[in-house]
Amino acid sequence: MYNSYQRYVNFFYRHISNLNLHTPMAESKNASTLEWTHPDQVMRLHRMKLKKRALQARINKTTVNDRATTTDFNPLNSSGSIPQRLSYCQKRKNPFAINETCKKQKDVTSAGLEISNDNTLFELLNIDVQKEKSKLDSSINNSLTFENVLSKLESTNQTVDINVPKGTKHIPIDWTLKTKMRFMSPKPFPWSSKLKTSEEASGTTGFVRCLNIGEKETTLDTSLNARFHQCCLIWQHPSLPWLELFPRSAGKVSATLANNTSIVNNQNMKDALYREWCDSFRSLFHLLRARQCPYFYMCANAFTVLFRAAGICGLSEIHALVTPTTSGFRQALKQEEIEYSMPLKKDSKRRSDTIDAESKIADVTYNAADSQRENNNYEEENEDDDEETQDAWLESLGVENSEIKKINHSQTRLALEKESEVDNLRQSLVFVKGVETQALFNFLINCKSAIAMTGGLAGVPPTLLAPTAFHGAILKPLQVRESILRDNNDIYYSLELRGPLLPHVLPSLCHLMKSSQLEQYSASCAQLASTTSFSTAKHGHAVVTKEEDSNTTKVAPNVFGQENLSDCGFNEELLSHFCNSDPSRIEVLDSLKFFNGLYTWS
C-alpha cells in the first residue's frame, strides 16, 4: 500500500516538473526540497498576466491578439475547460455601436451644419445647408440662429422706440362737462393760487374783454399768475349762493335747503327768475348765431343741451345736441315738427311725422329732412287709407270693433315699449342742425319740463354756462387748491380745480404750461357722466360726401370757420383747435399725460 502511494506521488511530481509551472515563489531556500504549488495559484497568476496585458493594450491603444494569447497557453489548450474559463477575457461586440456608413453620413451632415447651432431645426425644415452656407459666409452676424434673430428683433424694437416716440402734439377735444380736474407734477407749478391785486385785476380784465394778455402787448400784467387766473373764470346764470346749480342734481341738495319752499310758494319770485332766465337764454343764443360765442351749455335737471356755433368742429351750420332724452321728450319734438336724428342709436332709420304703431316699430330716427313736407303729408294720407282698409278687412272677417281696438292698442303699447328702450341712455342723444336749432330754442324756452316742480331745485330755471359774457351772466371763478403729495421718497405738486369746467379750460391750461416750459405733468378729470355722449357722438352725424344727398351736413374748411369766429373770444391757437373737422380729434378724456413735448391720454 505504501509503495503504490509513493509511486503515484513520484509520477505526479515528474509530470509537474515537465510542465515547468512552478514559480520562483515555490522554490525554498533549500534547493534539495520542493514545496507544493496549488493549481488555483497558477490560474490566478495567468489571470493577472492577462489583466496586465489588457491594461497595457488600453494604454497603448492597441488590441490584444487572440492568437498570441492562445500560443502563450499552448500547453493548457489541450484541455477543453481552460479556454471556456478564459473566454470572458475576450472583448464583447457592442450591439448599439454605430456602423461605418451611418458614421460617415453623420460626419457629412455635421460638417454641413456648422453654420448654425440649431442642427435639429435645419433638419426638420429640410433647408439646403450648403446654399445657406454660401449665402451667409460673407458675415457671421447674418447666420440664421435663434440668438441672432432675437437680437435683431430687439435691436429693431429699440430703434423704433427711440426714433418713433409715443404720443401726439395736440390735445383732443372733449365736449364732456367736468366737475373736477387735478394736475400732478414732480416740479412746482410756475404760478400760485394766491394772487396779487394787479394779477387778479389783469386776469379778470383779460377774460372779460377776451384779450390775449400773454402774447400781445398790453399794459396789463402778463405774469403767469394773471394768465392762470384768466383760465379759471366762467360765465353762469342763474347764480343762487344757497343752491348748488352745477351739477343739476336734486339729490345733492341738503335737507335744510330742500325744506325751504319760498321759491315754490312765491309765484312772483318764480316768474321773476323765469323772465331773467329767458332774457339770458335769448341773449346767449343770439350771440351764438352771430358767431360771437363759440358754444354754451344749458343744464336742466333731466337733460343737458350743448349749442355750438357754425364753424365749430368744421360744421357749416349751427347745431345742438341733447342728452339724455326720453320717449316723451322726443314725442314733444315731433309734435313741434322739429327734425332730429339719433346718431348713437345703431338701428337708425328714417321716420315720418306720423306716430302710428307700424311706423314706431319700423323706424327709430325722426328726420323729416329726408323728404319734403308735401311728400310726408301724402304719406300720411296713404297710411290713413291703409289703416282704414286694414280695419275694413278685419271687419269683413267677422272681427268685432272692440277686438280691433284691442289689437291697435296692443300694437301701440309694443311700439312705445320699443321706443323707450334707450331712454336716459347715451344712445338717446338727439342731434339737431340748421334751422331746426332755432325751433329747438323756441321749444326749450317754453318747455315746462325744463324747470322742476318739486324737490330742492323746484322753480329754479336751468343753468346756463358759457365762455363769453351775455345778459344777466355772473362771473364765477373756479375753486383752486394747491397741495404737496409724498409717495415714499418722491414729492409731487398737486393743483386741483373744482366747478363747472368747460371744454376750453383744459387746452388753455396745457398751453399755459407749455409756454412756461413745464417738461412733465399729468391731469385727471372727474366727468359728468350724463354728458359723455357729446364726445361719443363726434360731430353728431355720419359725414357723407355725396352731393345729391340732401341729408348730408356740409363740412366747412378750418380757414373759413376760424375767420368767421375771429370775434368769439378765443385766441388763434384755441380757435383752430375747436374748428378742426377731423372726427378723430374728439375723445372722452379721463387722464392726460405730457412728457417730452407729446401728449398721451386714456
Side-chain angles (χ1 to χ4, degrees):
M1 185 69 180
Y2 176 76
N3 294 332
S4 62
Y5 178 74
Q6 187 68 30
R7 192 182 301 112
Y8 175 75
V9 171
N10 293 333
F11 174 78
F12 185 76
Y13 277 129
R14 195 182 303 115
H15 181 70
I16 293 298
S17 62
N18 292 333
L19 293 176
N20 295 324
L21 294 177
H22 63 276
T23 59
M25 294 177 61
E27 296 178 355
S28 62
K29 295 181 180 179
N30 191 0
S32 62
T33 62
L34 294 175
E35 294 182 359
W36 174 258
T37 304
H38 200 273
D40 291 337
Q41 296 179 356
V42 177
M43 298 308 299
R44 191 180 297 112
L45 292 174
H46 288 296
R47 285 194 293 269
M48 289 178 64
K49 290 181 180 180
L50 290 175
K51 290 181 180 179
K52 289 180 180 180
R53 291 179 182 178
L55 180 60
Q56 187 175 2
R58 290 179 184 176
I59 295 174
N60 298 331
K61 295 183 180 180
T62 59
T63 58
V64 179
N65 191 1
D66 294 337
R67 293 182 179 179
T69 56
T70 54
T71 53
D72 292 336
F73 304 100
N74 225 354
L76 298 177
N77 285 340
S78 58
S79 62
S81 61
I82 295 176
Q84 293 179 0
R85 295 176 65 182
L86 297 176
S87 61
Y88 71 95
C89 297
Q90 297 179 2
K91 185 176 182 181
R92 184 174 60 87
K93 185 178 180 181
N94 187 5
F96 300 101
I98 302 175
N99 54 12
E100 296 297 331
T101 57
C102 295
K103 189 174 181 180
K104 291 180 180 179
Q105 292 179 359
K106 185 177 179 180
D107 294 338
V108 172
T109 54
S110 60
L113 293 174
E114 286 180 354
I115 59 173
S116 174
N117 295 327
D118 307 316
N119 300 336
T120 306
L121 179 63
F122 279 95
E123 290 176 359
L124 294 175
L125 297 178
N126 296 324
I127 297 177
D128 192 351
V129 183
Q130 297 298 332
K131 292 182 179 179
E132 294 295 334
K133 185 176 180 180
S134 62
K135 293 179 181 178
L136 302 175
D137 283 340
S138 59
S139 176
I140 300 176
N141 295 328
N142 294 330
S143 59
L144 296 176
T145 60
F146 286 124
E147 296 178 356
N148 291 335
V149 173
L150 291 176
S151 62
K152 289 180 181 179
L153 290 176
E154 291 177 357
S155 61
T156 53
N157 291 334
Q158 291 176 358
T159 54
V160 170
D161 293 338
I162 295 173
N163 297 331
V164 184
K166 297 180 181 179
T168 57
K169 295 183 178 180
H170 66 273
I171 305 174
I173 306 173
D174 187 8
W175 294 104
T176 305
L177 283 173
K178 300 174 180 61
T179 59
K180 184 172 65 174
M181 188 180 301
R182 173 176 289 179
F183 290 88
M184 301 283 291
S185 174
K187 295 182 180 180
F189 293 97
W191 54 76
S192 175
S193 59
K194 298 180 180 179
L195 304 175
K196 299 179 181 179
T197 303
S198 61
E199 294 172 348
E200 182 179 358
S202 298
T204 304
T205 303
F207 178 76
V208 172
R209 299 180 183 178
C210 300
L211 300 176
N212 189 5
I213 61 176
E215 298 179 1
K216 295 183 179 180
E217 295 182 359
T218 59
T219 57
L220 302 176
D221 190 348
T222 60
S223 63
L224 291 176
N225 284 348
R227 296 169 62 185
F228 173 72
H229 181 64
Q230 183 180 359
C231 299
C232 299
L233 296 173
I234 60 168
W235 295 100
Q236 177 181 330
H237 180 87
S239 178
L240 304 177
W242 64 92
L243 290 178
E244 184 179 357
L245 299 182
F246 180 84
R248 294 293 294 253
S249 178
K252 294 184 178 181
V253 180
S254 63
T256 304
L257 297 177
N259 294 330
N260 186 11
T261 58
S262 59
I263 298 179
V264 179
N265 297 331
N266 194 335
Q267 187 63 32
N268 294 329
M269 187 180 297
K270 291 172 60 178
D271 294 341
L273 286 174
Y274 179 72
R275 285 194 303 269
E276 290 292 331
W277 181 82
C278 289
D279 293 339
S280 299
F281 189 26
R282 189 178 294 106
S283 171
L284 194 52
F285 185 74
H286 290 169
L287 289 172
L288 189 78
R289 292 183 59 187
R291 299 180 181 180
Q292 296 181 6
C293 177
Y295 65 87
F296 71 90
Y297 289 83
M298 192 195 84
C299 302
N301 291 349
F303 59 89
T304 304
V305 187
L306 169 61
F307 287 89
R308 296 192 299 210
I312 298 296
C313 292
L315 302 181
S316 60
E317 296 178 307
I318 187 176
H319 53 281
L321 297 95
V322 187
T323 185
T325 61
T326 60
S327 57
F329 183 85
R330 296 190 293 272
Q331 181 68 26
L333 293 180
K334 287 182 286 187
Q335 291 178 357
E336 296 293 332
E337 297 183 353
I338 300 175
E339 303 167 1
Y340 66 87
S341 62
M342 301 175 68
L344 296 182
K345 196 166 184 179
K346 295 180 180 179
D347 300 333
S348 180
K349 296 180 181 179
R350 294 182 180 181
R351 128 178 256 135
S352 60
D353 293 335
T354 57
I355 317 169
D356 57 339
E358 294 180 357
S359 62
K360 287 180 181 178
I361 296 174
D363 299 333
V364 177
T365 303
Y366 173 76
N367 195 345
D370 299 337
S371 59
Q372 298 178 355
R373 299 285 178 87
E374 297 178 358
N375 295 333
N376 290 337
N377 295 332
Y378 179 73
E379 290 177 0
E380 290 178 2
E381 295 176 358
N382 291 337
E383 289 173 357
D384 293 338
D385 295 339
D386 293 338
E387 290 179 357
E388 293 177 358
T389 54
Q390 290 176 2
D391 294 343
W393 179 70
L394 291 174
E395 290 179 356
S396 65
L397 295 177
V399 181
E400 297 180 357
N401 292 332
S402 60
E403 295 294 333
I404 294 174
K405 290 181 181 179
K406 290 181 180 180
I407 293 172
N408 294 333
H409 178 71
S410 62
Q411 290 179 351
T412 305
R413 182 173 56 82
L414 291 174
L416 291 176
E417 289 179 356
K418 187 174 182 180
E419 183 71 17
S420 60
E421 287 180 353
V422 296
D423 287 358
N424 297 320
L425 299 178
R426 67 174 187 175
Q427 289 83 1
S428 64
L429 178 135
V430 169
F431 176 72
V432 179
K433 61 182 178 181
V435 295
E436 302 301 327
T437 310
Q438 178 68 46
L440 177 65
F441 166 75
N442 296 331
F443 169 78
L444 292 175
I445 204 170
N446 298 315
C447 183
K448 300 299 182 181
S449 61
I451 302 176
M453 303 303 295
T454 59
L457 299 177
V460 180
T463 305
L464 301 177
L465 301 172
T468 55
F470 56 94
H471 289 176
I474 298 176
L475 186 64
K476 298 280 291 185
L478 300 176
Q479 299 178 9
V480 181
R481 188 182 67 176
E482 293 180 345
S483 60
I484 299 177
L485 304 178
R486 298 181 183 274
D487 184 12
N488 295 331
N489 296 328
D490 299 331
I491 299 177
Y492 295 96
Y493 297 87
S494 173
L495 180 67
E496 184 176 339
L497 287 78
R498 290 178 177 270
L501 299 168
L502 300 182
H504 73 278
V505 175
L506 180 59
S508 300
L509 291 176
C510 290
H511 176 68
L512 182 59
M513 293 182 184
K514 187 176 181 181
S515 61
S516 62
Q517 298 180 356
L518 191 63
E519 298 178 354
Q520 180 181 358
Y521 63 87
S522 62
S524 58
C525 307
Q527 302 171 348
L528 191 61
S530 60
T531 61
T532 55
S533 54
F534 289 147
S535 296
T536 307
K538 304 295 183 179
H539 289 158
H541 68 285
V543 179
V544 183
T545 56
K546 294 182 180 180
E547 296 180 356
E548 61 271 17
D549 193 347
S550 60
N551 191 31
T552 303
T553 302
K554 297 180 181 179
V555 178
N558 297 344
V559 178
F560 295 102
Q562 295 180 31
E563 188 65 26
N564 294 330
L565 291 169
S566 59
D567 296 330
C568 71
F570 287 167
N571 54 32
E572 295 181 359
E573 183 176 356
L574 194 60
L575 186 59
S576 63
H577 177 69
F578 280 96
C579 291
N580 197 303
S581 59
D582 187 6
S584 62
R585 295 284 292 269
I586 302 176
E587 296 288 344
V588 179
L589 290 179
D590 291 329
S591 61
L592 180 73
K593 293 182 180 180
F594 177 79
F595 183 71
N596 289 336
L598 298 176
Y599 296 97
T600 56
W601 60 84
S602 61

